[in-house]
Amino acid sequence: YYTHTDGNHRRIPVGAFKIGQIANEASPVICNDIVKDERLHDREWAESHELQSFAGFPLMSGSEVIGVVAMFSQQRLAPHLQETLSILTRLTAEALCNVQQFEELQQARTQAEAANISKSEFLANMTHEIRTPMTAIMGFAENLAENVTDPVNVDAISTIQRNGEHLLDIINDILDLSKVESGKLSVELGHHKPCEIVAEVLSLVKSKVDCSQLNLDVTCVGPIPEQICTDPTRLRQILIN
């Protein structure tokens, strides 16, 4: 705790002098003749400034003293001024408590965001690690399919391929989501032909559409630019989804 506002700040031990007593006992101190008060730690300073009165109130956060509001005056403190100081102290304590709660909330929010980023980075790393061996499995399954004629083995390889493709779709979805959450989803812009991108998407989903016995047609309404500035990978993802 400190006193003086003239640049000559002095440390006051808790329990000593007026401000220290307020901090220690959590009770207000009001005095209208401070020059004669032995609890004042610098009576010469008070006398040189012709100070007469002192009012000090503890700033409370629950049951804990977190500071002291103190005022020296060259006038005697009237009762209504003492009451005003008491109200001011209470409002200041409430404001400090709100600030403390806000800081705690901000800290908790920062920790939650950091945890979410860590989670997203973990997912991104894990899905990447899983996708690498899955790609190898799919490649070997394709090689086996070219050299296997037994119907049972052909059916088994087909099952591996179908489930592998499904698993890769799930892994890619998780990877994209984790990239978005961790802020690592990159966009690479370039000039590309939109009609070619749509045709690629159509060829990618055609097998699934055929299996579902549905019709899929592409209709262009209005003029389509020959080239657009876009990320073909992301645009392709959007159209497929």
Side-chain angles (χ1 to χ4, degrees):
Y1 300 93
Y2 295 87
T3 59
H4 299 189
T5 58
D6 55 6
N8 185 22
H9 301 289
R10 298 189 182 183
R11 186 74 178 179
I12 298 177
V14 173
F17 312 116
K18 287 185 179 297
I19 294 178
Q21 178 185 353
I22 296 170
N24 187 45
E25 299 179 2
S27 59
V29 172
I30 298 174
C31 178
N32 282 312
D33 194 1
I34 59 172
V35 174
K36 296 181 180 180
D37 195 326
E38 294 181 354
R39 295 172 299 176
L40 184 63
H41 75 289
D42 193 346
R43 281 181 286 176
E44 293 182 1
W45 172 79
E47 188 173 7
S48 66
H49 287 76
E50 299 181 352
L51 302 177
Q52 291 191 25
S53 52
F54 167 88
F57 296 84
L59 290 174
M60 307 295 296
S61 176
S63 59
E64 180 185 1
V65 179
I66 59 175
V68 174
V69 173
M71 185 189 77
F72 292 90
S73 175
Q74 294 176 332
Q75 308 295 328
R76 293 180 64 85
L77 292 175
H80 69 274
L81 180 56
Q82 297 173 10
E83 181 180 355
T84 301
L85 282 173
S86 178
I87 295 173
L88 174 62
T89 303
R90 177 176 58 82
L91 294 176
T92 304
E94 291 176 357
L96 288 173
C97 183
N98 291 335
V99 169
Q100 183 178 4
Q101 291 176 349
F102 176 77
E103 291 176 348
E104 291 174 352
L105 181 62
Q106 287 291 93
Q107 184 178 5
R109 179 180 178 182
T110 301
Q111 292 174 348
E113 290 176 348
N116 188 56
I117 292 174
S118 297
K119 181 261 299 181
S120 298
E121 291 178 347
F122 173 76
L123 280 177
N125 292 332
M126 286 302 298
T127 50
H128 177 73
E129 294 297 328
I130 295 173
R131 188 170 60 172
T132 300
M134 274 304 304
T135 303
I137 292 172
M138 294 297 295
F140 280 111
E142 185 176 351
N143 291 337
L144 286 174
E146 295 175 355
N147 297 283
V148 171
T149 57
D150 181 73
V152 176
N153 291 334
V154 169
D155 184 63
I157 294 174
S158 177
T159 301
I160 293 174
Q161 289 177 317
R162 286 198 310 272
N163 285 277
E165 290 172 358
H166 178 61
L167 184 57
L168 279 176
D169 287 341
I170 295 175
I171 293 172
N172 288 333
D173 287 343
I174 297 175
L175 182 60
D176 290 338
L177 177 60
S178 62
K179 282 184 176 180
V180 170
E181 290 183 344
S182 62
K184 293 183 178 179
L185 185 66
S186 60
V187 176
E188 297 181 2
L189 298 177
H191 295 283
H192 302 275
K193 297 180 179 180
C195 292
E196 289 185 356
I197 296 176
V198 172
E200 290 175 4
V201 171
L202 189 62
S203 64
L204 287 172
V205 300
K206 189 176 185 304
S207 59
K208 294 184 179 180
V209 172
D210 292 341
C211 294
S212 303
Q213 296 181 345
L214 297 174
N215 293 324
L216 178 62
D217 296 320
V218 177
T219 302
C220 298
V221 179
I224 304 298
E226 183 178 356
Q227 286 191 342
I228 58 174
C229 183
T230 185
D231 184 328
T233 301
R234 302 305 171 200
L235 180 56
R236 197 178 295 112
Q237 284 179 314
I238 293 169
L239 293 176
I240 290 175
N241 289 332

